[in-house]
Amino acid sequence: MQLSSMAPRWKWKGAEAKALAEPISKSVSELQLSLIKTESSGSLSSCNVLLAVEPEQAELLDHCCFGRLVLSSEKVKKWIQLSFEEAFYLLYILKCITLTLQGRLLENEVEIWTYMRSKRPNFPVFFKAYSHLRSKNWVLRSGLQYGVDFVAYRHHPSLVHSEYSVLVQSGDSDRLRVWSDVHCAVRLSGSVAKTLLTLHVSGNSNREDVDLPMCLENYRVEEQTISRWSPELSREDETTNPKPRVTNVSNLTTP
C-alpha cells in the first residue's frame, strides 16, 4: 500500500550521517548477543517487566530504544523497565532474555503469553503491531502524550524526530469509526509534525489459538496513513506546487 510520509527531521547537523554509520539493526544484533551471553533475566509484574543488566547492556538497550532506565543507587547492576511488548519481543523474537514471576523461572513461552494476555486482553493485537514495525527497524515509543498507541522513529530519538503517530486497530475495535474521531486524530498528528499511521491487525485465529503465541502467524497487518487534503496540492501549476512524495512504510529502509 502506498503511503504518504513527511521527510525525516534530523535534530542536528550530522545526525543523519551518524544514523547511517550506526544502524539500529547492527545495535540490536550486538544487544542480542550480549544478553544471551550473560543469560539476562527480567521479573514480570502486573503491567511491565524489570530487567537487570550490566551497565554496558543498559547503554545498548538505550541505544536500541528498549525500555527506560530506573534510577537506582546500585552500581553493579542497572534496572530497565520494559513494556510487555518490548519484553516479549526480546524473549520471543530475539530469544535473548528469560522471565521470572515471583522468583520462579518461566521456561514456557505459552505460560508467559497467557500471563500477559490475562493482564491485557488486547496484548496479542498490540504485540503483532509492535513487532511488525520493530522488525523493520523502526523505533517505537509510547504515544500516550499524543493520544495514540505508539510513535515511530527512523532512528534514536536523540537524532531524529518521530515521523509517525501510530494507532492500532482490530476487527472489534471502534476506533476511528466516526468522522469526528478521524478529524481529531489527524489534526493532532499534524500539529506535532507527524503522519497518522493506522495498523489494522486482522486474522483467522479462534479463541483457542489466541491462547498461544503461534497465533501471531495467522495475523496480518494492513498499514494506512491518513492526512488532511490540501487544496494547494491540486492547483494546475505543479511546478510551483509539486505533488507530495509517496513512500511505503513496509519498504522504508531505516538507518
Side-chain angles (χ1 to χ4, degrees):
M1 178 175 293
Q2 295 299 311
L3 306 172
S4 60
S5 171
M6 297 180 182
R9 296 180 299 124
W10 301 100
K11 290 189 173 181
W12 44 275
K13 185 178 181 180
E16 182 177 8
K18 181 177 177 62
L20 290 172
E22 302 174 3
I24 286 290
S25 57
K26 181 180 178 181
S27 298
V28 170
S29 296
E30 293 175 359
L31 172 65
Q32 182 182 26
L33 292 174
S34 178
L35 293 177
I36 291 174
K37 183 177 180 180
T38 57
E39 299 181 347
S40 299
S41 181
S43 177
L44 270 167
S45 71
S46 60
C47 58
N48 54 48
V49 172
L50 281 178
L51 180 67
V53 295
E54 304 293 335
E56 297 80 7
Q57 293 172 324
E59 293 182 6
L60 273 174
L61 283 161
D62 175 70
H63 190 71
C64 298
C65 293
F66 283 110
R68 297 186 183 278
L69 179 67
V70 177
L71 295 180
S72 169
S73 59
E74 190 173 353
K75 296 183 178 180
V76 178
K77 288 283 186 179
K78 297 291 184 180
W79 293 92
I80 306 297
Q81 180 177 293
L82 302 168
S83 68
F84 278 177
E85 287 84 5
E86 292 171 326
F88 202 73
Y89 190 86
L90 292 172
L91 179 138
Y92 186 72
I93 303 298
L94 298 184
K95 301 187 182 302
C96 59
I97 66 170
T98 57
L99 293 179
T100 63
L101 179 61
Q102 298 178 346
R104 178 175 65 89
L105 178 65
L106 302 177
E107 298 182 359
N108 192 331
E109 294 172 343
V110 175
E111 187 176 4
I112 297 170
W113 175 267
T114 302
Y115 177 85
M116 292 182 172
R117 278 199 67 238
S118 70
K119 299 300 180 182
R120 283 178 48 197
N122 61 359
F123 173 70
V125 169
F126 274 74
F127 179 74
K128 181 63 178 183
Y130 176 89
S131 60
H132 175 77
L133 291 181
R134 188 81 218 206
S135 64
K136 300 177 188 299
N137 296 315
W138 286 93
V139 171
L140 298 182
R141 287 299 198 189
S142 170
L144 184 61
Q145 64 180 344
Y146 300 113
V148 292
D149 299 312
F150 303 108
V151 285
Y153 296 81
R154 182 173 293 267
H155 206 280
H156 195 279
S158 65
L159 300 181
V160 66
H161 293 279
S162 57
E163 294 177 45
Y164 294 98
S165 53
V166 183
L167 275 176
V168 180
Q169 295 180 283
S170 60
D172 56 355
S173 172
D174 59 356
R175 310 173 93 178
L176 303 183
R177 288 290 179 89
V178 296
W179 169 245
S180 58
D181 290 346
V182 177
H183 183 67
C184 289
V186 171
R187 287 295 295 268
L188 179 57
S189 295
S191 68
V192 289
K194 305 183 196 315
T195 299
L196 178 62
L197 170 64
T198 63
L199 297 181
H200 191 275
V201 181
S202 58
N204 298 320
S205 296
N206 56 40
R207 186 179 299 275
E208 293 180 356
D209 289 338
V210 176
D211 291 333
L212 303 173
M214 288 76 78
C215 74
L216 294 168
E217 299 176 2
N218 297 325
Y219 285 130
R220 62 180 183 275
V221 180
E222 180 183 351
E223 307 159 346
Q224 185 177 29
T225 56
I226 307 174
S227 58
R228 296 177 65 196
W229 176 73
S230 176
E232 286 80 4
L233 298 178
S234 298
R235 291 178 179 171
E236 293 182 0
D237 187 0
E238 295 186 359
T239 302
T240 305
N241 302 281
K243 294 181 179 179
R245 182 170 61 90
V246 176
T247 59
N248 188 315
V249 171
S250 296
N251 298 326
L252 279 177
T253 55
T254 56

